[in-house]
Amino acid sequence: MPVANVALPVPLPRTFEYFLPNNAPHPVIGGRVLVPFGQRNIIGIVTAISAQSKLAWEKLKPISEVIDRQSLFSDNLWRILNWSIGYYHYPAGEVLFHALPTLLRQGKSAEIAPLWQWLVTEQGRATLPEVLKRAPKQQRALAALLRGPVYRHRMCELQLVDATLQALCVKGLCVLRPEVPETKDWRYAFRVHGERQQLNTEQATAVSTIRSEDDRFVVWLLAGVTGSGKTEIYLTALEAILAKGKQALVLVPEISLTPQTIARFRERFNAPVEVLHSGLNDTERLTVWLKAQRGENAIVIGTRSALFTPFARLGIIVIDEEHDISYKQSDGWRYNARDLAVVRAREEGIPIILGTATPSLETLYNVQLKKYRQLNLGQAAGSARPASQQLLNMKGLPMKHGLSSPLLTKMREHLKAGNQVMLFLNRRGFAPVLLCHECGWIAECTRCDRYFTLHQHQRQLHCHHCYSQRPLQHQCPQCGSTQLVAVGLGTEQLEAALPPLFPNVPIIRIDRDSTASKGALEDYLAQVQRGGASILIGTQILAKGHHFPNITLVSLLNVDSALFSGDFRAAERFAQLYTQVSGRAGRASKQGEVVLQTHHPEHPLIQKLMHQDYMAFADSTLEERRQAGLPPFTSHMLFRADDHDNIQAKLFLEQLSQLLEASPLRDNDLWLMGPIPALAPKRGGRYLWQLLLSHPSRQQLQRLLAANLPLVSKISQSRKVKWSLDVDPVDS
Ligand code: ADP
Ligand code: ZN
Ligand code: ZN
């Protein structure tokens, strides 16, 4: 009696066996089935079919229904996902379901629904948009309709909303119709219709190098300073791929921040470009997914999860801003889309371009190892002018809510000129430190020359290196001052403090919390684009490929918490943020200015960034990581656990640590650090603890984990906490 192994969307690291009823169609590997689980029927994905089961016959239940007659996954994608299950030690069902659009997870059939489009009517065609100048949105909408059909799912790219088109419809100027399925393959009509830029020498060299090997797996690091014309390279590289009839996948950190980039892809090619953005409903998303699978799309642009789009003929992958940490999924299955994209390119046998002005140290290390190949663009192509930079020594200066008086003066000047000001705060992972405002002294762990991380609510200092701890002190040991301050001000606190200082100036806060609801980020960005004096308070979300032409002053308020953070990655993040914003503040017509507030203007990191460049910083930081035995020279895995009483999680991690210590696979190169409280030690009323594993050999560490993870559920404490494993963490 043959049985199917079925992966279910449940947090268990195993698959389940069901027998195949005689009269039903045969299930396929990679296809969905409906199976009984507990009291109900749920959807599963078949991972294997075997001739018989080791289980007793009576224990098996039958498959209730076979949904798919063919696999939903391409062979390559199937291999990558199965590899990921092992690499990330994450349940098969959750990984496979993660890779599917919502409707398929719910069991809906894998069928293309027509996409709806607004079409101009005869009457609309005979109407001049100027007639509508009292209704500027309608005027814009009509102008767009006159250029061609407006797909409903692409309206937000044109910054149009349904209501505007409805209003035109009432006036008889347009109608909504389902698209007529394309009968002609886009490949027959493919041509470049947008304007090509005349490439400069560096760009031309990069393009011809990429093109000379564009039929095989190569990882290109395209290291180009801000404004050096990386997008132009992507477009030119894609041109040759599309001309061969192959498809392209482009990943970006945040869709809403890149409308201009997307428009350039659409304008350049006479071929279907689809964007997977948060404005799509589930049906539209599924249709885009299925069209890609059938080869009906030429280019798919999306964020992290677009990596799992199936393609009939994928020919190239582009990862824009490869250093961006949003490529790392921060909960559930914590995969890194950049790393998986490289795995995918290898499986597909195609080139991948990692583009950035500020390469991650992992990527630079891969260049050193000759796994990746680097192409450089050193000069700005367009009209961007670098911002002027200024260091503000805060030591002893009067401060208001983290803003020094010279900075306040500057802010007033820029606002008075009708320009916008952007204030950057704590990026994720910039851990708070305890600092003396008078002399700049910073609390430091004497055992390891690392800075203590301040855990305010416990009133303790913790070393995130050797996990020693001590109570908060009240006096500076260097100068005796009692002005010890926690460096690490929150965005909300600042938002509340600004209005009295800047009455009548609109203040816009953009961070993970303020943009959690759908469309919120888009609304804020539209507000910023409209111009007029305003202050933006932002976290890292704002540094991603943004183009805010009216922002002329950018200040990083809180540099010290990055310089002296207990998180060894803080310096890298800071250098990336600094380089990105100083490359972008202002534009040709308006000189931009970047102001860094610090108690330590002499700090080598700052000096290096101001007087050399990001690459010089990266070289020396990589060398420091080598000497310190930190990633990418060692491999990290992080166990996280949380509880509600601040006892169980630590206990669980201690027992886990003992389990690993006792393992026969453990060797002397394994380093177990913790348990210690997480950098952000409390969330939603729960206490977060962590245990970090470090080993110079990734394979060794993987073997140790594979052997021991099945034993973790036997730790009695494991049922009293929530725990998870993060492979290659980005904040540890
Ligand atoms: P990056 O992505 O590297 O920041 P972009 O590709 O956005 O840079 O290019 C920055 C600006 O320079 C854009 O306005 C682009 O149109 C322009 N540009 C790019 N390449 C050229 C070129 N060869 N000649 C003239 N302008 C260019
Ligand atoms: Zn002091
Ligand atoms: Zn220490």
Side-chain angles (χ1 to χ4, degrees):
M1 173 62 77
V3 291
N5 288 74
V6 180
L8 299 174
V10 293
L12 295 170
R14 50 171 291 215
T15 55
F16 299 82
E17 286 185 335
Y18 292 90
F19 71 84
L20 320 179
N22 283 330
N23 48 1
H26 220 68
V28 288
I29 293 178
R32 291 166 301 164
V33 288
L34 196 66
V35 293
F37 188 73
Q39 298 300 314
R40 55 203 177 107
N41 269 326
I42 64 172
I43 313 267
I45 296 168
V46 178
T47 58
I49 295 176
S50 23
Q52 61 196 46
S53 172
K54 289 192 202 76
L55 290 176
W57 166 242
E58 317 80 67
K59 290 237 171 100
L60 290 175
K61 289 182 185 160
I63 287 173
S64 313
E65 190 189 327
V66 173
I67 300 175
D68 299 303
R69 298 301 185 83
Q70 50 190 348
S71 172
L72 295 171
F73 305 88
S74 66
D75 289 349
N76 287 332
L77 212 44
W78 186 250
R79 269 204 305 280
I80 295 159
L81 290 168
N82 280 288
W83 175 86
S84 302
I85 292 164
Y87 184 82
Y88 289 103
H89 303 278
Y90 208 69
E94 304 219 37
V95 169
L96 296 175
F97 274 81
H98 188 100
L100 292 179
T102 312
L103 289 182
L104 294 186
R105 291 181 210 169
Q106 293 168 352
K108 301 277 165 26
S109 70
E111 258 169 40
I112 288 187
L115 294 167
W116 290 74
Q117 47 183 210
W118 290 99
L119 301 169
V120 69
T121 57
E122 281 305 313
Q123 192 190 337
R125 205 173 288 288
T127 308
L128 290 174
E130 288 73 61
V131 178
L132 296 166
K133 65 171 176 292
R134 306 260 300 275
K137 283 187 198 159
Q138 293 181 25
Q139 183 180 359
R140 237 167 14 87
L142 182 60
L145 286 164
L146 287 170
R147 288 194 296 269
V150 172
Y151 277 92
R152 204 170 56 175
H153 72 285
R154 291 184 197 162
M155 278 181 346
C156 60
E157 283 174 43
L158 302 165
Q159 285 163 345
L160 296 174
V161 293
D162 232 9
T164 314
L165 276 300
Q166 296 285 5
L168 287 182
C169 181
V170 170
K171 292 180 182 163
L173 304 182
C174 67
V175 286
L176 185 63
R177 295 255 189 282
E179 70 173 346
V180 184
E182 196 65 61
T183 46
K184 235 172 81 202
D185 197 316
W186 63 266
R187 290 178 280 176
Y188 298 113
F190 176 74
R191 68 197 150 75
V192 175
H193 58 37
E195 190 192 333
R196 286 196 195 90
Q197 305 268 13
Q198 179 71 38
L199 297 184
N200 63 35
T201 318
E202 277 183 329
Q203 285 175 313
T205 309
V207 166
S208 65
T209 314
I210 294 169
R211 281 192 172 180
S212 69
E213 299 186 51
D214 72 2
D215 57 351
R216 67 198 82 141
F217 170 59
V218 186
V219 189
W220 299 107
L221 165 61
L222 180 61
V225 300
T226 318
S228 59
K230 292 184 287 296
T231 313
E232 201 56 37
I233 308 251
Y234 304 153
L235 290 166
T236 321
L238 254 57
E239 189 183 321
I241 302 281
L242 300 180
K244 289 186 216 167
K246 295 190 205 158
Q247 298 162 284
L249 169 65
V250 179
L251 297 189
V252 295
E254 172 67 62
I255 293 279
S256 338
L257 289 168
T258 41
Q260 296 96 334
T261 308
I262 289 163
R264 281 165 74 185
F265 280 88
R266 281 210 200 288
E267 279 157 20
R268 181 64 59 93
F269 304 116
N270 185 41
V273 177
E274 286 299 349
V275 181
L276 291 166
H277 56 74
S278 61
L280 300 190
N281 65 32
D282 288 343
T283 313
E284 290 161 345
R285 194 171 287 275
L286 174 61
T287 294
V288 169
W289 194 90
L290 291 169
K291 284 188 168 186
Q293 190 176 50
R294 298 174 191 192
E296 293 172 19
N297 295 327
I299 302 173
V300 173
I301 305 177
T303 50
R304 184 174 64 220
S305 62
L307 172 69
F308 303 112
T309 311
F311 287 92
R313 304 174 302 273
L314 188 57
I316 193 166
I317 303 177
V318 172
I319 313 274
D320 193 26
E321 310 289 353
E322 69 86 27
H323 65 278
D324 198 286
I325 53 166
S326 73
Y327 288 121
K328 171 87 176 175
Q329 169 90 9
S330 59
D331 52 17
W333 174 28
R334 296 169 188 260
Y335 64 94
N336 189 320
R338 179 201 55 211
D339 298 348
L340 275 186
V342 172
V343 176
R344 181 159 187 185
R346 192 187 64 210
E347 289 297 315
E348 308 258 3
I350 58 171
I352 175 169
I353 305 176
L354 311 178
T356 175
T358 53
S360 64
L361 297 185
E362 280 78 10
T363 294
L364 287 172
Y365 180 52
N366 278 316
V367 171
Q368 284 186 1
L369 294 176
K370 302 209 163 30
K371 290 186 182 166
Y372 298 1
R373 287 156 66 183
Q374 184 171 342
L375 299 164
N376 294 313
L377 302 177
Q379 69 207 57
S383 48
R385 188 151 44 124
S388 71
Q389 311 169 357
Q390 199 188 339
L391 264 183
L392 254 177
N393 186 354
M394 292 197 284
K395 236 179 270 178
L397 278 184
M399 303 287 292
K400 278 204 177 100
H401 308 287
L403 308 168
S404 64
S405 49
L407 176 61
L408 286 167
T409 310
K410 262 189 201 304
M411 287 172 68
R412 294 206 175 88
E413 281 165 15
H414 281 258
L415 292 168
K416 210 164 135 205
N419 293 323
Q420 297 172 339
V421 172
M422 179 150 76
L423 304 177
F424 267 103
L425 274 171
N426 265 6
R427 293 186 75 205
R428 207 168 79 175
F430 282 14
V433 293
L434 187 70
L435 175 145
C436 170
H437 185 55
E438 295 294 324
C439 76
W441 170 87
I442 291 167
E444 194 179 18
C445 170
T446 44
R447 291 229 302 246
C448 23
D449 287 340
R450 292 282 196 107
Y451 297 97
F452 272 126
T453 298
L454 176 66
H455 288 270
Q456 195 109 45
H457 79 278
Q458 290 167 314
R459 308 200 57 72
Q460 275 178 345
L461 297 167
H462 282 266
C463 173
H464 275 246
H465 203 56
C466 71
Y467 59 93
S468 67
Q469 47 181 273
R470 69 166 201 234
L472 209 58
Q473 59 207 83
H474 300 284
Q475 206 175 12
C476 171
Q478 195 165 285
C479 75
S481 163
T482 51
Q483 276 214 58
L484 296 187
V485 289
V487 184
L489 178 79
T491 44
E492 278 171 72
Q493 201 184 336
L494 183 62
E495 185 188 25
L498 282 177
L501 296 173
F502 297 93
N504 304 322
V505 177
I507 290 161
I508 306 170
R509 171 167 71 95
I510 300 187
D511 58 23
R512 216 169 279 272
D513 298 326
S514 77
T515 58
S517 68
K518 205 169 172 170
L521 178 59
E522 287 77 3
D523 290 347
Y524 285 131
L525 295 175
Q527 204 177 328
V528 179
Q529 294 294 352
R530 278 199 294 276
S534 53
I535 302 175
L536 262 85
I537 304 172
T539 50
Q540 90 255 26
I541 205 167
L542 276 180
K544 297 171 190 174
H546 71 81
H547 288 276
F548 298 135
N550 300 310
I551 293 179
T552 52
L553 174 63
V554 175
S555 181
L556 306 169
L557 299 186
N558 182 351
V559 175
D560 296 338
S561 73
L563 300 181
F564 304 106
S565 173
D567 178 356
F568 68 90
R569 288 185 185 81
E572 177 186 358
R573 300 270 155 72
F574 166 71
Q576 289 164 345
L577 175 67
Y578 171 74
T579 309
Q580 297 280 347
V581 298
S582 55
R584 269 191 249 261
R587 57 175 175 185
S589 55
K590 289 180 183 175
Q591 173 69 43
E593 206 176 344
V594 178
V595 175
L596 300 183
Q597 290 195 135
T598 176
H599 288 88
H600 290 268
E602 76 297 338
H603 192 283
L605 168 56
I606 293 194
Q607 290 302 322
K608 199 161 273 150
L609 285 173
M610 306 243 345
H611 301 297
Q612 298 179 32
D613 61 4
Y614 178 82
M615 287 301 186
F617 153 81
D619 281 346
S620 60
T621 309
L622 206 48
E623 190 45 42
E624 282 164 29
R625 296 254 188 109
R626 183 199 305 276
Q627 284 166 13
L630 287 167
F633 299 92
T634 52
S635 205
H636 274 185
M637 291 199 191
L638 186 71
F639 279 97
R640 293 190 173 84
D642 60 75
D643 62 26
H644 57 270
D645 60 6
N646 213 10
I647 297 170
Q648 306 296 339
K650 180 165 184 249
L651 220 54
F652 164 71
L653 292 175
E654 271 162 8
Q655 290 169 353
L656 177 62
S657 175
Q658 284 156 15
L659 175 81
L660 296 169
E661 290 276 8
S663 167
L665 284 174
R666 176 201 196 287
D667 61 23
N668 289 333
D669 288 331
L670 177 72
W671 202 11
L672 287 162
M673 284 166 274
I676 56 170
L679 282 170
K682 200 174 175 196
R683 193 186 308 143
R686 298 185 67 90
Y687 297 88
L688 281 58
W689 287 76
Q690 62 189 39
L691 173 70
L692 182 66
L693 280 61
S694 167
H695 199 287
S697 158
R698 185 182 298 277
Q699 285 77 13
Q700 273 299 108
L701 196 52
Q702 285 282 1
R703 271 198 289 275
L704 178 75
L705 262 288
N708 284 284
L709 277 175
L711 307 176
V712 174
S713 58
K714 302 212 164 61
I715 299 177
S716 60
Q717 225 67 29
S718 73
R719 270 173 294 272
K720 298 187 187 150
V721 301
K722 283 196 215 137
W723 69 272
S724 62
L725 171 64
D726 189 351
V727 177
D728 307 330
V730 294
D731 43 2
S732 47

